[in-house]
Amino acid sequence: QMPLVESGGGLVQPGGSLRLSCAATGFHLENYAVGWYRQAPGGARDWIACSSISDSKKYNQNSVKGRFTISRDNANNMVYLQMTRMNPDDSALYKCAADRRSDCTFNLAGQLVMRDIWGPGTQVTVSS
């Protein structure tokens, strides 16, 4: 069984909403910083949102600020990505990742760095 699995992807119309789930097995997600990434076909992998340990800090990429929200459900060992007002540019493979460091860590290029555990991804398509 994979330690981290995403779900909730699918087809959504422009302007619609979708909630992605990131479920952990075999470890406690609350002890990890958790980030969401996405990658469109032929494009680079971009970070979307990140929650530090204990959800004390949250970070959002500018392109999704005000539209996407990361949240935790420690009782169920899950992290969510609520997506609203979606547009076709949001179509991508979405992945969650966990890092044992307490805070979300960024490199000099401003990219989120998650080292430890990755999920396989869930596909999101925004189209009418």
Side-chain angles (χ1 to χ4, degrees):
Q1 195 168 4
M2 300 188 70
L4 212 54
V5 176
E6 304 89 342
S7 62
L11 176 64
V12 61
Q13 291 189 340
S17 300
L18 209 57
R19 189 179 79 162
L20 304 182
S21 299
C22 174
T25 302
F27 68 103
H28 296 291
L29 209 49
E30 64 184 305
N31 296 327
Y32 289 70
V34 178
W36 282 96
Y37 292 79
R38 68 185 180 188
Q39 186 168 15
R45 185 177 65 194
D46 292 324
W47 74 276
I48 298 300
C50 188
S51 166
S52 63
I53 283 178
S54 301
D55 216 19
S56 57
K57 295 180 184 177
K58 294 183 180 181
Y59 305 83
N60 278 100
Q61 182 64 272
N62 286 338
S63 60
V64 303
K65 270 182 183 175
R67 299 191 301 123
F68 291 9
T69 303
I70 186 171
S71 63
R72 291 180 181 262
D73 179 357
N74 291 334
N76 290 300
N77 211 18
M78 306 268 282
V79 171
Y80 302 108
L81 183 69
Q82 178 68 50
M83 304 185 291
T84 63
R85 290 183 283 131
M86 298 180 72
N87 60 67
D89 289 339
D90 295 322
S91 298
L93 180 67
Y94 283 71
K95 293 188 175 187
C96 64
D99 191 307
R100 197 59 180 91
R101 292 174 289 186
S102 60
D103 198 2
C104 304
T105 304
F106 297 86
N107 62 20
L108 293 178
Q111 287 297 312
L112 179 67
V113 178
M114 303 302 274
R115 299 179 305 183
D116 298 317
I117 306 169
W118 286 80
T122 184
Q123 183 66 40
V124 172
T125 303
V126 185
S127 175
S128 55

